């Protein structure tokens, strides 16, 4: 399936996801204000980190090798078998630990032990989160885009319904509970939709494997862990810095504009994630690879620039519709945040080529370096300019990242 067809299907999914996300944000903003939105941001980041540790670090490897071994079933099944075994072992250990240390995790991340119940709930739902990611990675690698898109739409709808329902009965506590349960419900929907697929047989996940199979899959741990760990930890550190040096309301304003920019970014990159990794993994000729990369950038960069400009010029209306009057100070944060998002796309595309080529050293090191630089630049510019300084920092970091990724691509891939 080519980029245009994939884009059309994925755009539908992403549009529904955006609408769902906007409604959820509106509900939380009205119920809890900037304070509550900052709390949601912290919870989202720690959930991402825990899911990463529980097995989500395998998704890049599963998608890449499923696409690469599309005509070699045994090799493909070995990848799936390794992944399922690793997930099983990790979750047997990690779930009880999260339950036992839920008070400490809650106090560290959410600044109160009263919300430890969230992590107790999550300790039970987490394995289902990770299994859902495994199945989605297989579906993406097999290029079954229609099914992949359908499941993502269902995830958005379930998240919306669950969050709205729980918010109605329990307010902000209900919203928090929805964040630690929604994907576990979608797992059962995913399993139902794939239960009759030819590949969905238990024997395909129980193939005999050896140490080389584990090494091949687990080398991608470094790529995925560095990406998710660096991004989520940097956000937690920056948000805590804003809370400690400015206020929790300021952290809520920044979380608001950050969430909007990430929704916009995901509108474009969801298409790329669905299309790019399987496609780039299967291209062997460097000239064809370069042509594909340039096609992707020429298609997506003008789109994201137009969307960024629309978000900026209509920011007052957006704040009113999606948040509340309590968030009006957000308007000053839009300009450099959305300029940064447009530039970030270029670095992201070139970075994905490195992922598809399995260039672990460059991918991992750049993720860590630019997460640290984002933190350091943010701390400096917040001190100099206040809250808007964090958006200056994001723009500067995005420019530096895009230049670095292009240089690595030019001299290490297309050479």
């Amino acid at each position: 399936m080519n980029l245009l067809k994939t884009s059309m299907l994925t755009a539908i999914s992403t549009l529904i996801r955006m609408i769902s996300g906007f409604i959820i944000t509106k509900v939380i903003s009205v119920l809890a204000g900037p304070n509550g939105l900052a709390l949601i941001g912290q919870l989202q980041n720690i959930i991402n980190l825990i899911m990463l540790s529980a097995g989500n670090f395998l998704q890049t490897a599963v998608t890449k090798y499923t696409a690469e071994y599309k005509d070699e079933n045994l090799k493909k099944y070995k990848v799936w078998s390794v992944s399922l075994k690793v997930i099983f072992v990790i979750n047997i250990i990690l779930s009880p630990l999260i339950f036992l240390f839920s008070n400490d995790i809650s106090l560290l991340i959410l600044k109160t032990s009263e919300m430890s119940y969230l992590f107790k709930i999550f300790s039970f739902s987490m394995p289902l989160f990770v299994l859902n990611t495994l199945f989605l990675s297989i579906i993406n690698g097999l290029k079954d885009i229609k099914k992949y898109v359908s499941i993502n739409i269902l995830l958005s709808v379930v998240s919306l319904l669950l969050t709205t329902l729980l918010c109605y009965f329990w307010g902000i506590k209900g919203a928090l509970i929805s964040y630690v349960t929604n994907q576990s419900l979608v797992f059962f929907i995913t399993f139902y939709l794939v239960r009759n697929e030819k590949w969905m047989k238990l024997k395909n996940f129980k193939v005999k494997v050896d140490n080389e199979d584990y090494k091949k899959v687990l080398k991608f741990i470094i790529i995925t862990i560095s990406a998710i760990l660096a991004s989520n930890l940097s956000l937690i550190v920056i948000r805590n810095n804003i809370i400690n040096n400015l206020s929790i309301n300021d952290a809520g304003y920044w979380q608001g504009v950050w969430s909007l920019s990430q929704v916009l970014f995901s509108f474009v990159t969801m298409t790329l994630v669905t299309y790019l990794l399987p496609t780039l993994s299967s291209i062997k000729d460097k000239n064809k690879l370069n042509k594909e990369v340039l096609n992707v950038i020429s298609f997506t960069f003008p789109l994201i620039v137009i969307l960024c400009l629309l978000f900026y010029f209509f920011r007052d209306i957006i704040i009113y519709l999606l948040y509340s009057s309590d968030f009006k100070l957000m308007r000053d944060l839009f300009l450099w945040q959305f300029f940064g998002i447009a530039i970030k796309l270029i670095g992201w595309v070139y970075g994905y080529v490195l992922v598809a080529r399995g260039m672990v050293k460059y991918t991992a090191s750049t993720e860590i370096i630019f997460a640290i630089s984002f933190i350091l630049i943010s701390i400096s510019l917040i001190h100099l300019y206040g809250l808007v300084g964090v958006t200056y920092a994001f723009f500067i970091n995005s420019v530096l990242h895009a230049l670095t990724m292009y240089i690595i691509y030019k001299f290490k891939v297309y050479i």
Side-chain angles (χ1 to χ4, degrees):
M1 188 172 286
N2 63 30
L3 178 58
L4 183 60
K5 289 181 180 179
T6 303
S7 299
M8 291 174 65
L9 286 171
T10 311
I12 297 170
S13 169
T14 308
L15 184 62
I16 293 171
R17 183 183 174 188
M18 287 174 66
I19 294 169
S20 172
F22 288 153
I23 294 172
I24 290 170
T25 299
K26 179 70 173 180
V27 170
I28 293 170
S29 300
V30 171
L31 283 172
N35 189 320
L37 202 61
L39 192 67
I40 289 288
Q42 292 291 77
L43 182 63
Q44 285 176 318
N45 290 141
I46 193 61
I47 285 174
N48 289 340
L49 288 175
I50 294 172
M51 284 177 60
L52 170 68
S53 304
N56 272 10
F57 58 79
L58 295 164
Q59 61 182 324
T60 301
V62 173
T63 301
K64 172 183 166 54
Y65 287 126
T66 300
E68 191 173 313
Y69 299 146
K70 60 182 179 181
D71 298 320
E72 300 176 83
N73 286 340
L74 182 58
K75 288 184 177 180
K76 189 164 57 184
Y77 297 155
K78 283 186 174 184
V79 170
W80 300 354
S81 299
V82 166
S83 301
L84 188 62
K85 287 173 183 176
V86 170
I87 288 170
F88 177 78
V89 171
I90 291 176
N91 280 266
I92 285 291
I93 298 168
L94 191 58
S95 290
L97 289 176
I98 292 172
F99 187 90
L100 290 172
F101 291 99
S102 56
N103 284 347
D104 301 286
I105 299 171
S106 181
L107 189 61
L108 178 66
I109 302 300
L110 304 179
K111 308 302 181 185
T112 175
S113 60
E114 293 179 3
M115 295 187 179
S116 61
Y117 64 90
L118 293 170
F119 298 101
K120 287 183 170 70
I121 294 170
F122 186 58
S123 68
F124 289 99
S125 63
M126 179 182 68
L128 300 180
F129 273 60
V130 179
L131 286 172
N132 191 59
T133 301
L134 174 63
F135 287 154
L136 284 174
S137 300
I138 291 171
I139 294 166
N140 189 18
L142 292 171
K143 297 186 179 182
D144 189 352
I145 304 302
K146 289 183 180 179
K147 188 161 270 130
Y148 184 83
V149 167
S150 299
I151 292 170
N152 277 290
I153 289 173
L154 285 170
L155 175 57
S156 299
V157 173
V158 168
S159 297
L160 173 60
L161 294 176
L162 188 63
T163 304
T164 305
L165 186 65
L166 293 179
C167 275
Y168 178 79
F169 287 107
W170 293 303
I172 187 63
K173 288 184 178 180
L176 294 169
I177 291 171
S178 72
Y179 276 98
V180 297
T181 55
N182 54 24
Q183 280 198 40
S184 60
L185 297 179
V186 175
F187 164 76
F188 294 105
I189 298 172
T190 303
F191 182 79
Y192 179 80
L193 290 175
V194 301
R195 72 194 190 284
N196 293 325
E197 296 287 337
K198 291 181 179 178
W199 58 266
M200 188 56 180
K201 293 181 173 65
L202 185 59
K203 66 179 183 179
N204 295 339
F205 293 85
K206 295 174 63 179
V207 175
K208 186 177 180 180
V209 296
D210 55 35
N211 289 336
E212 288 303 312
D213 296 312
Y214 280 101
K215 288 178 183 178
K216 181 169 60 181
V217 172
L218 294 179
K219 77 174 184 178
F220 277 86
I221 289 178
I222 300 173
I223 292 178
T224 311
I225 285 183
S226 61
I228 300 178
L229 187 64
S231 62
N232 283 279
L233 274 181
S234 64
L235 294 180
I236 291 172
V237 171
I238 291 169
R239 199 179 291 111
N240 279 336
N241 183 58
I242 294 171
I243 292 170
N244 294 333
N245 291 283
L246 299 173
S247 71
I248 192 168
N249 280 347
D250 284 315
Y253 302 143
W254 178 64
Q255 178 64 33
V257 77
W258 179 267
S259 297
L260 277 177
S261 66
Q262 293 309 302
V263 167
L264 177 59
F265 190 67
S266 70
F267 181 77
V268 179
T269 57
M270 275 292 289
T271 299
L272 300 184
V273 169
T274 306
Y275 171 82
L276 207 55
L277 184 57
T279 302
L280 296 182
S281 297
S282 60
I283 295 176
K284 307 301 180 186
D285 182 75
K286 69 176 184 180
N287 291 317
K288 288 182 180 179
L289 175 69
N290 192 55
K291 183 180 178 182
E292 189 67 44
V293 170
L294 292 177
N295 283 341
V296 168
I297 292 175
S298 64
F299 176 76
T300 55
F301 185 67
L303 173 63
I304 201 166
V305 169
I306 292 169
L307 291 172
C308 285
L309 289 172
L310 289 173
F311 268 66
Y312 175 73
F313 287 117
F314 292 98
R315 64 192 184 280
D316 291 318
I317 296 172
I318 290 170
I319 292 169
Y320 176 77
L321 290 175
L322 300 183
Y323 295 94
S324 69
S325 58
D326 292 335
F327 288 80
K328 60 186 178 183
L329 295 179
M330 267 175 56
R331 73 184 312 276
D332 297 330
L333 306 178
F334 272 68
L335 182 61
W336 294 103
Q337 181 68 30
F338 281 89
F339 276 174
I341 279 293
I343 299 300
K344 181 182 176 181
L345 178 71
I346 297 173
W348 192 90
V349 172
Y350 285 117
Y352 231 67
V353 178
L354 306 187
V355 173
R357 285 293 185 260
M359 299 173 70
V360 177
K361 179 174 67 175
Y362 293 103
T363 306
S365 60
T366 52
E367 288 289 347
I368 294 168
I369 288 168
F370 284 102
I372 293 171
S373 66
F374 185 28
I375 293 171
L376 295 177
I377 299 170
S378 293
I379 292 171
S380 300
L381 296 185
I382 288 170
H383 178 72
L384 290 172
Y385 301 105
L387 185 60
V388 73
V390 74
T391 64
Y392 297 161
F394 179 66
F395 173 76
I396 293 168
N397 206 55
S398 295
V399 171
L400 294 173
H401 178 260
L403 288 171
T404 302
M405 300 315 288
Y406 173 74
I407 291 168
I408 294 172
Y409 170 79
K410 185 72 175 176
F411 292 101
K412 294 297 179 180
V413 178
Y414 186 65
I415 189 170

